[in-house]
Amino acid sequence: MKTKIIILIAIAIFSMAFNTNPEEISSKNGTFNTEKDLLLVQFDCKTDVDDIHTMAALATLMSEEDYSEVNYHAVTGAYGIQEGPYVPPNDLLQLAFRDNWTDAHKDFESAINKVKELVKTTLKNQGDVWIADAGQSDFTAEVVKAVKADIPEINTSHRIHVVQHSNWNEEVTSPGHLRYVKDNTDYHKIPDGNAVGNGSPGFRSPDYTHWQDKVADPRLVEIWQLAIEIANKYNGKDGRYNNEAISAGGLDFSDLSEVCWILGLKDIKDTEEFFNFIKSKFDEETSTYRKGRLAGTLCACTGSYI
């Protein structure tokens, strides 16, 4: 009898393995599929200016060849119930992402509808949606509600993945919205990106000032210069939060820890490693380009092609 029971259990497990829903596999593996998935990076910009530096860091990462095919979209004004004035980032968003961003601060309902359509398109094309909540989850909750209303057959708990790193962001999300997101998405709380050595990259660095030694692309230099200018202009002003790392002349793009988690870059330790990573990628791409040009010259000389 025991043998028979063991055989039946083995058959059941074997059957479950082959009948697992692909949605569940994607969710459990936590892997971003560049060919099908959508990355939403949603900033609150109220009232901490760290979002401004994070926008520049995101533009820097997305400019690398390895991530140039990532389908992503930025949202600003995705804030919750916190008090304090907004930090206007639109000039930076336009410079960094051109028209690939949405303004929920200016028109919340219009932004919900726009982002909803991006999400629906991805889901209908068998992709998953990954949301880096670089702010609160109120905007996320409304997007998920709108998607479920339009395509109720979609299991959003398997197909929409939300990543949050900050206790404070959770605390100033409307409680009902936070509960809704946790109940209706694949919600991941990762270690805080403001600290180093906790399992997430730590990107809050008051002493880091030599980013220009690592960023070679003139367009990215312009983006970082504008980000630093805007952050310095609004940091701690008119009742806004005073980010001490930025007021000390350093950098804070701690919200990028969520994007790193989504894209499998969890092993980057801190700000210095991030910029070293960016420089190494640039050097690789430059070397490959030069080798390609050299090979082309040699081929022209020999009259043959590779």
Side-chain angles (χ1 to χ4, degrees):
M1 179 62 75
K2 264 188 190 176
T3 303
K4 187 175 180 181
I5 292 172
I6 291 171
I7 291 171
L8 289 171
I9 292 171
I11 290 171
I13 292 171
F14 185 80
S15 175
M16 286 172 63
F18 278 88
N19 287 288
T20 302
N21 191 322
E23 296 170 350
E24 294 181 16
I25 294 173
S26 173
S27 174
K28 288 177 182 176
N29 287 345
T31 52
F32 184 90
N33 186 328
T34 304
E35 294 181 358
K36 299 190 295 184
D37 292 355
L38 170 67
L39 170 64
L40 291 174
V41 187
Q42 300 180 166
F43 303 96
D44 61 311
C45 294
K46 186 181 179 183
T47 66
D48 193 348
V49 296
D50 63 343
D51 287 3
I52 306 300
H53 284 188
T54 303
M55 290 171 184
L58 176 65
T60 302
L61 184 60
M62 293 296 101
S63 72
E64 298 304 319
E65 187 175 356
D66 289 351
Y67 305 100
S68 60
E69 299 302 315
V70 170
N71 180 22
Y72 75 97
H73 188 78
V75 179
T76 187
Y79 43 74
I81 57 176
Q82 70 266 45
E83 299 293 332
Y86 183 66
V87 178
N90 291 19
D91 289 345
L92 175 63
L93 285 163
Q94 193 62 39
L95 177 64
F97 309 121
R98 298 185 172 91
D99 294 327
N100 188 28
W101 61 281
T102 295
D103 191 346
H105 175 70
K106 180 179 179 182
D107 190 335
F108 189 82
E109 290 303 321
S110 176
I112 292 293
N113 289 329
K114 180 179 175 181
V115 174
K116 175 191 72 172
E117 292 304 320
L118 295 175
V119 171
K120 285 168 57 181
T121 297
T122 299
L123 296 174
K124 288 178 179 179
N125 290 331
Q126 304 307 309
D128 281 11
V129 176
W130 299 79
I131 301 176
D133 260 343
Q136 295 71 53
S137 295
D138 297 71
F139 184 82
T140 296
E142 294 300 329
V143 168
V144 175
K145 285 179 186 177
V147 169
K148 288 175 75 69
D150 284 5
I151 42 175
E153 68 274 15
I154 291 289
N155 188 335
T156 56
S157 293
H158 287 161
R159 302 284 302 282
I160 300 179
H161 316 278
V162 178
V163 183
Q164 177 58 266
H165 81 109
S166 167
N167 288 336
W168 186 80
N169 281 344
E170 287 190 326
E171 290 165 4
V172 292
T173 296
S174 302
H177 280 145
L178 182 60
R179 186 165 53 252
Y180 183 86
V181 170
K182 289 185 174 182
D183 288 345
N184 291 278
T185 71
D186 176 36
Y187 187 88
H188 298 269
K189 178 67 181 300
I190 65 171
D192 197 318
N194 287 284
V196 175
N198 60 6
S200 286
F203 293 142
R204 187 176 188 274
S205 307
D207 300 323
Y208 193 91
T209 58
H210 50 286
W211 61 270
Q212 282 182 291
D213 297 339
K214 310 293 183 180
V215 179
D217 186 330
R219 180 172 172 272
L220 293 176
V221 171
E222 185 181 3
I223 288 169
W224 274 104
Q225 287 174 337
L226 180 58
I228 290 168
E229 178 185 327
I230 292 172
N232 290 343
K233 178 179 179 179
Y234 291 102
N235 187 33
K237 303 297 193 306
D238 301 319
R240 294 178 178 88
Y241 172 76
N242 179 44
N243 188 310
E244 294 180 357
I246 291 176
S247 63
L251 300 177
D252 184 352
F253 50 97
S254 47
D255 287 316
L256 195 75
S257 61
E258 300 162 352
V259 175
C260 289
W261 190 92
I262 291 168
L263 297 180
L265 296 170
K266 307 171 195 176
D267 292 337
I268 296 177
K269 183 180 77 171
D270 56 17
T271 301
E272 183 157 16
E273 282 198 5
F274 173 79
F275 282 106
N276 287 341
F277 172 77
I278 294 300
K279 186 175 186 303
S280 69
K281 288 292 182 184
F282 179 82
D283 290 345
E284 285 175 16
E285 292 165 18
T286 303
S287 176
T288 301
Y289 174 72
R290 285 174 178 166
K291 286 177 182 176
R293 289 197 65 183
L294 178 60
T297 303
L298 291 173
C299 288
C301 293
T302 60
S304 59
Y305 297 91
I306 314 181

